[in-house]
Amino acid sequence: MDEEFVVINGINGATGGYLLPPIAPQDLGRIALGEKWDKSHLEELEWRKRQVEDEANFALKSGLDPQDLSQAGWGVIFPAQWDQKTQMAVYEAFSELLNHRRSQAGPLYKEYIGGEGYRPNESKNDFLGRHGAAPGPVDPKFVPYYLLIIGDPQTIPFEFQYELDVAYLVGRIHFNSLDEYAQYARNVVMAETSNKVKLARQAVFFGVANPNDRATQLSAELLIQPLVKQIAVDQPTWDVKHTLPENATKGNLLRLLGGDQTPALLFTASHGLGFPYGDPQQSPYQGALLCQDWPGPSEKHRGVTRDDFLAAEDVASDANLLGLFTFHFACFGAGTPYWDDFAKQAYGTRTAIAPHAFLSALPQRLLGHPRGALAVVGHIDRAWSYSFKWGEAGSQTVTYQSALNRLMTGDTIGAAMDDLNIRYAEISTMLNNQVYKAEYEKVDLLKLASLWTANNDARDYALVGDPAVRMPVAPEDAEVQERPVIVELPHRETQLPPIPTAEATPAISSPEPQVQTTQASLETLSTLDASQAEAYLLGADTLKQVRDSLTNTLQTLAARLASFVEDVTSLEVATFTSESIENTKYDLTAKTFTGGAQQRALTHISLDGDTKICVPIDAGEIDDSLWAIHTQMVQQALANRTAMIKAAADVLIGFLPK
Amino acid sequence: MPPTVFQMIFPGEAGPTDILGLWQPLSAESFAIEDPSSQTVTVWRVDLPGDRDQALYALDRQQTNLKLVEQDLPHAAQKIDNFIQMSSQAGQVDSFSFALTEGPANEPDRQLAHWLETISGAESFALRSGWFPEWEETSRKANAFFEQVKRSLAHYAWIESTVGGELLGRTSVSWRGDFETLWRSGLAREHALNHERCLAMALASRTAWLHIAILAARSAVQLALLISTNPVFVLPAALKYLQQILEQYRNMHENLQPIG
């Protein structure tokens, strides 16, 4: 990093000036010295760094395929804080995707909803611990590797997402209407299960470089240009296009976002707009992409006009973004936190950026559109172009390059994004070491500033969308199809509640939901107190009959299962043959077939392991064919016995408190 | 070519059902069993077409569907656990149905919530009176199901398979798990394998029934504690809920054909 002032990305949409004043690198280094880490989070970051050094690229338990949901698992996290009505309404609207993932992940599909969902102020370790998982390698038997957070970031904070995605593959969605949840679910399922979405292998890199603006000139020169060159080499089967700064206008961006030029993959680098706390434009426009139409900071008196930036409302209702994956390198491209982390670090004052944390409207619009995109990757908080200028932990560009290559060769977006998480782990560990070292010796403030900006840049990336989606592109040399037009889903009336303000968010963890558990056994079914309704219902004879019958059946069933293990001390498998099988009968008492049937083989296995066998003989020789059939039947009988014992055990376990 | 038939027969009983949706239920009148001891038996019968490929296809398809049910069961358990969690969180039974928006995915939850409201007395008397027939019908079905499960465990099962109308083999399975199998003399190994697969599927179906029964009973106890009632009154609704969820999953499997 040279001696020039650091200009931080982000333009104040209300004034046209920078969101933060330019700052000397040494000052930035001093700010970095105040960096503090949560001990357990740092330990995990260090573990992740070591793991990568040991060439274990994914945090998933070894031997499991991170691309296969049946091995890696998939889970959805709802906010426990949401009321039942909201949870169930969103669940219903989103059920198409949930069912789809359930069918893919099988037993490793998990729903964290109701009391099992995220609880206010819960840390990542609290959440994982509550569900049986520990920090370190991910065992999807406890918590799935792929996790989709549903809900606004005020209710499930961005910090939880950052911490979780050090080891897990995490995405988030939050919409303001049920229609958008349903539509996103439909779009993902359609892209993954229908042959209708086969996009051309086309990637577009859209680099803005506003006049006299150091931040976007850096991102155009040091991010977009190298990426275009390298990706074109790495992916020869893709058509890689570069939108040069002079063409990086709002009009052209609209053609790429749902218009006639929409590619499969879009990568933009530009300023994102920011607005002061409480500004009415903050909700609709924060994170909107400032295009080449803005003449730069020199014309400060002009400010920013509505024609300079692309916001959610610019994406037309007839746009077709189906299957699109888009990366937005821009301030607030993905969302806005509640607290201003930079101000806290720089000035020691904790100030709020917005009344509550929120996802930016643009990614919400892109994903919730009736013909919407599948994933948006962007920044929470500010983006740091200066992080491209330093080299100790490797160029940020290399990390993007690796992520894009993975995505373009068929990895899930979650797996592709893991490189950014690894980079965060590496840089954080290095930064922590520098800060620690600074307590005892003089450190290079420029280097510290570089590390700090890179750390913020790597940490603040977030995926908006399902981490398990992958690009629906046509195979090489296969026929490309036009994006299909999806019929819009019927409107759902239920209104979702607004995002709570920070003041309304509970300050302390909610108590454990009062889930009643029982130690009741099957026998108690008929002995518990009846309610007033029961007394009333008992007035009707037919109903009483049904109740008595059910009670009796349950008691018998329970008794049967309870005695099963005790009674079963041996297993017997007998094989008979008959020339006229239709004429035989079975003698239940003697446990044998009569009417011309001949017993040919028998296996008797005692619980103590003693086994007696009679083998079939044919003309003085063992009848191999029949013996093979008999042996197979013995195997089946043993498997059936095991299943029955397991079922009996389930009766016991099922009635123990959870 | 006659279609493949997977049947389950309950002699002496009218209106049996297969909660898994895999076996075609028949009452005793439809199937004559000569053995006098057969009044308590559960018969699983598979008639396969004579064409080898068609027979294998039918067995593969049935086996796949059975595996899907086995996979779906833990998810159904999770669904009803979610319901119990959220219901207990709300603390008030009469908020159950208000919390549920309309839509096919929520329909089982709505019906279960309504059942609990009615049982707990949160509904008005007039509404409850109109609800009796539904209660009776659902309860009778639940009773029939538990009776089936009880019988299938308490007595022996009889599994027989035919190919092109020719009987391959008959297996009797006692409730303790002992097998006696009668084979046609000189039966080809390939045909014996077909019978073995039919046997395995019948027993796996019976085990799946048992799991559903256990899950319904466990859930009924937990739901009953929420509204302080006898679990037997909640059990039919819990079973119906699970049946509806499994049906939803079944429909989903039919509609979703992943392309890899």
Side-chain angles (χ1 to χ4, degrees):
Chain A
M1 184 177 286
D2 53 30
E3 291 294 323
E4 68 183 330
F5 275 65
V6 176
V7 181
I8 299 149
N9 287 52
I11 295 296
N12 185 328
T15 65
Y18 288 111
L19 281 173
L20 287 172
I23 187 165
Q26 291 89 343
D27 290 340
L28 207 54
R30 286 188 196 94
I31 289 168
L33 284 175
E35 187 75 26
K36 297 279 189 297
W37 282 266
D38 172 75
K39 187 171 177 290
S40 64
H41 184 48
L42 185 63
E43 282 170 356
E44 184 162 57
L45 290 168
E46 286 171 342
W47 161 74
R48 194 79 171 92
K49 178 174 176 283
R50 284 197 305 274
Q51 198 211 19
V52 173
E53 286 164 357
D54 294 340
E55 296 185 351
N57 276 343
F58 289 100
L60 186 63
K61 193 175 151 188
S62 70
L64 300 177
D65 180 358
Q67 301 295 330
D68 180 354
L69 295 195
S70 70
Q71 294 183 45
W74 189 93
V76 60
I77 304 173
F78 283 79
Q81 195 182 333
W82 273 1
D83 61 38
Q84 285 178 310
K85 184 170 183 171
T86 305
Q87 292 200 38
M88 292 312 293
V90 172
Y91 185 94
E92 195 282 325
F94 206 57
S95 57
E96 191 168 348
L97 180 55
L98 298 180
N99 287 334
H100 177 53
R101 293 289 181 239
R102 181 186 290 113
S103 70
Q104 292 176 313
L108 299 181
Y109 168 89
K110 297 275 170 61
E111 289 172 358
Y112 302 103
I113 193 168
E116 296 296 313
Y118 174 85
R119 297 176 186 168
N121 290 324
E122 200 168 33
S123 72
K124 176 212 67 176
N125 284 344
D126 292 342
F127 177 84
L128 292 179
R130 190 156 58 82
H131 294 104
V138 175
D139 186 344
K141 269 192 304 192
F142 299 109
V143 172
Y145 191 38
Y146 286 86
L147 290 169
L148 175 60
I149 296 170
I150 290 188
D152 65 83
Q154 193 61 43
T155 310
I156 302 184
F158 285 128
E159 289 75 15
F160 175 72
Q161 188 172 351
Y162 298 150
E163 290 179 5
L164 203 57
D165 72 11
V166 171
Y168 292 79
L169 307 183
V170 187
R172 175 200 294 268
I173 55 165
H174 173 244
F175 297 114
N176 299 317
S177 74
L178 292 176
D179 292 346
E180 291 168 294
Y181 281 104
Q183 205 63 65
Y184 179 69
R186 166 65 57 91
N187 292 340
V188 173
V189 173
M190 176 143 186
E192 293 190 6
T193 62
S194 145
N195 280 315
K196 293 177 183 168
V197 189
K198 293 285 171 212
L199 304 181
R201 300 162 81 83
Q202 189 180 70
V204 175
F205 292 81
F206 184 93
V208 174
N210 302 111
N212 304 310
D213 177 58
R214 189 72 183 123
T216 50
Q217 286 169 1
L218 276 173
S219 58
E221 180 190 342
L222 298 178
L223 176 62
I224 293 292
Q225 278 185 30
L227 272 181
V228 172
K229 280 185 189 165
Q230 198 55 50
I231 294 293
V233 171
D234 294 345
Q235 303 296 335
T237 64
W238 280 68
D239 176 18
V240 179
K241 291 182 184 299
H242 182 190
T243 305
L244 294 167
E246 57 266 33
N247 297 322
T249 60
K250 177 180 174 180
N252 284 335
L253 187 53
L254 273 173
R255 295 180 71 186
L256 295 167
L257 281 173
D260 61 341
Q261 299 291 318
T262 306
L265 173 65
L266 175 65
F267 191 109
T268 70
S270 70
H271 277 298
L273 287 191
F275 290 86
Y277 180 104
D279 189 307
Q281 299 182 90
Q282 191 176 49
S283 172
Y285 299 149
Q286 185 113 334
L289 305 179
L290 191 61
C291 298
Q292 197 65 28
D293 311 71
W294 183 56
S298 303
E299 295 190 35
K300 199 173 175 185
H301 60 281
R302 176 184 176 275
V304 173
T305 71
R306 187 63 192 82
D307 292 335
D308 296 340
F309 63 91
L310 189 147
E313 65 191 23
D314 294 319
V315 179
S317 57
D318 63 352
N320 196 340
L321 303 130
L322 197 61
L324 173 70
F325 281 61
T326 177
F327 285 67
H328 296 160
F329 181 86
C331 286
F332 309 113
T336 300
Y338 173 59
W339 294 115
D340 184 339
D341 280 347
F342 180 83
K344 180 191 165 206
Q345 182 102 10
Y347 315 120
T349 55
R350 207 178 181 205
T351 54
I353 298 178
H356 53 71
F358 60 96
L359 282 188
S360 297
L362 181 58
Q364 285 184 315
R365 172 66 174 160
L366 295 174
L367 299 185
H369 193 281
R371 291 159 293 278
L374 300 184
V376 177
V377 176
H379 260 91
I380 307 300
D381 211 323
R382 299 180 179 87
W384 301 76
S385 294
Y386 266 76
S387 63
F388 306 123
K389 289 200 70 179
W390 71 288
E392 183 155 333
S395 165
Q396 185 85 324
T397 314
V398 175
T399 313
Y400 291 126
Q401 181 191 321
S402 168
L404 292 172
N405 276 326
R406 279 186 172 194
L407 190 61
M408 294 163 91
T409 48
D411 276 15
T412 60
I413 181 72
M417 288 278 291
D418 202 42
D419 283 352
L420 285 166
N421 301 327
I422 291 168
R423 179 176 163 80
Y424 168 45
E426 288 172 340
I427 298 173
S428 286
T429 308
M430 291 165 67
L431 179 58
N432 179 59
N433 290 341
Q434 285 291 313
V435 172
Y436 178 77
K437 200 171 149 190
E439 290 180 21
Y440 305 98
E441 56 189 273
K442 193 174 178 183
V443 294
D444 181 349
L445 287 177
L446 291 178
K447 185 175 163 187
L448 202 57
S450 299
L451 274 171
W452 193 69
T453 54
N455 182 62
N456 290 357
D457 194 37
R459 184 197 65 175
D460 291 350
Y461 262 98
L463 166 63
V464 188
D466 177 359
V469 291
R470 54 183 97 216
M471 301 191 80
V473 290
E476 192 182 346
D477 301 328
E479 191 179 344
V480 170
Q481 294 181 7
E482 289 288 315
R483 283 182 161 85
V485 175
I486 297 183
V487 177
E488 286 190 35
L489 296 170
H491 172 60
R492 289 168 161 80
E493 290 292 342
T494 305
Q495 296 291 313
L496 296 176
I499 302 174
T501 59
E503 290 73 23
T505 307
I508 52 168
S509 294
S510 297
E512 291 269 321
Q514 296 301 303
V515 180
Q516 287 171 300
T517 56
T518 174
Q519 295 193 42
S521 66
L522 274 173
E523 284 77 8
T524 64
L525 287 170
S526 56
T527 59
L528 291 176
D529 287 342
S531 68
Q532 187 184 357
E534 178 188 354
Y536 179 78
L537 290 166
L538 284 176
D541 282 347
T542 51
L543 300 182
K544 184 174 184 301
Q545 248 176 16
V546 171
R547 190 201 74 153
D548 290 348
S549 172
L550 257 177
T551 305
N552 175 271
T553 304
L554 284 168
Q555 284 174 334
T556 311
L557 185 57
R560 262 298 181 198
L561 283 168
S563 66
F564 180 79
V565 179
E566 286 177 18
D567 289 355
V568 175
T569 54
S570 66
L571 182 68
E572 196 166 278
V573 178
T575 293
F576 299 78
T577 59
S578 170
E579 298 288 342
S580 54
I581 189 169
E582 290 81 3
N583 298 328
T584 57
K585 290 195 174 177
Y586 184 67
D587 183 337
L588 182 63
T589 314
K591 292 178 68 176
T592 188
F593 288 93
T594 60
Q598 187 184 1
Q599 184 164 354
R600 302 290 308 282
L602 177 72
T603 298
H604 182 100
I605 303 169
S606 298
L607 195 64
D608 58 8
D610 191 16
T611 303
K612 293 172 186 164
I613 53 174
C614 297
V615 297
I617 304 292
D618 189 15
E621 299 284 327
I622 293 178
D623 185 339
D624 288 335
S625 172
L626 191 60
W627 179 242
I629 292 172
H630 176 79
T631 308
Q632 190 64 31
M633 297 301 278
V634 173
Q635 293 305 318
Q636 275 216 30
L638 285 168
N640 179 57
R641 170 68 60 84
T642 305
M644 289 301 295
I645 290 174
K646 188 174 179 305
D650 283 349
V651 172
L652 186 65
I653 294 165
F655 286 87
L656 290 174
K658 293 179 87 180
Chain B
M1 183 69 66
T4 307
V5 175
F6 291 89
Q7 288 178 327
M8 49 170 232
I9 301 147
F10 287 83
E13 185 177 308
T17 55
D18 174 29
I19 199 165
L20 311 177
L22 299 174
W23 299 82
Q24 179 188 333
L26 286 179
S27 57
E29 292 75 19
S30 313
F31 185 77
I33 295 179
E34 294 170 3
D35 191 327
S37 66
S38 64
Q39 285 307 302
T40 51
V41 74
T42 307
V43 179
W44 306 80
R45 178 172 164 171
V46 182
D47 295 327
L48 295 166
D51 180 84
R52 178 181 176 276
D53 290 343
Q54 287 191 19
L56 287 177
Y57 174 77
L59 286 170
D60 287 348
R61 191 176 167 81
Q62 180 83 341
Q63 198 160 23
T64 302
N65 289 336
L66 183 60
K67 278 200 185 309
L68 287 172
V69 171
E70 288 170 345
Q71 277 178 24
D72 289 341
L73 271 174
H75 299 308
Q78 187 177 39
K79 279 280 290 181
I80 201 162
D81 282 349
N82 288 346
F83 182 96
I84 293 164
Q85 283 271 344
M86 282 199 285
S87 302
S88 62
Q89 229 181 339
Q92 285 193 335
V93 72
D94 56 357
S95 69
F96 283 171
S97 59
F98 291 113
L100 299 162
T101 49
E102 287 194 12
N106 273 355
E107 193 51 34
D109 297 71
R110 286 165 59 83
Q111 288 187 21
L112 181 55
H114 184 220
W115 185 286
L116 295 175
E117 276 178 9
T118 311
I119 286 278
S120 70
E123 282 270 14
S124 72
F125 175 81
L127 283 174
R128 269 189 286 159
S129 303
W131 174 76
F132 275 172
E134 185 197 335
W135 192 95
E136 193 175 355
E137 177 64 16
T138 308
S139 299
R140 282 195 191 289
K141 284 181 179 168
N143 195 39
F145 171 71
F146 278 96
E147 187 61 38
Q148 276 177 214
V149 176
K150 184 181 79 173
R151 176 195 281 201
S152 70
L153 288 178
H155 306 288
Y156 71 98
W158 181 267
I159 297 99
E160 64 177 45
S161 54
T162 67
V163 168
E166 186 177 77
L167 193 58
L168 297 179
R170 285 175 165 158
T171 299
S172 155
V173 181
S174 75
W175 78 273
R176 291 155 37 100
D178 294 337
F179 283 19
E180 280 90 37
T181 305
L182 175 66
W183 300 99
R184 178 175 294 283
S185 293
L187 191 71
R189 177 83 183 114
E190 180 188 335
H191 284 157
L193 277 175
N194 285 348
H195 178 75
E196 284 168 17
R197 289 181 71 184
C198 296
L199 170 64
M201 285 191 273
L203 295 178
S205 298
R206 191 179 70 164
T207 306
W209 283 2
L210 183 58
H211 279 142
I212 293 169
I214 292 167
L215 180 58
R218 189 201 75 190
S219 306
V221 171
Q222 290 180 319
L223 288 165
L225 284 170
L226 291 176
I227 55 172
S228 303
T229 191
N230 188 324
V232 172
F233 285 108
V234 185
L235 183 60
L239 180 65
K240 185 179 179 186
Y241 179 89
L242 293 171
Q243 189 169 7
Q244 288 172 320
I245 295 297
L246 289 172
E247 271 172 19
Q248 282 187 352
Y249 292 165
R250 213 158 41 231
N251 292 335
M252 178 197 76
H253 296 315
E254 283 167 13
N255 294 332
L256 281 180
Q257 296 294 331
I259 55 171

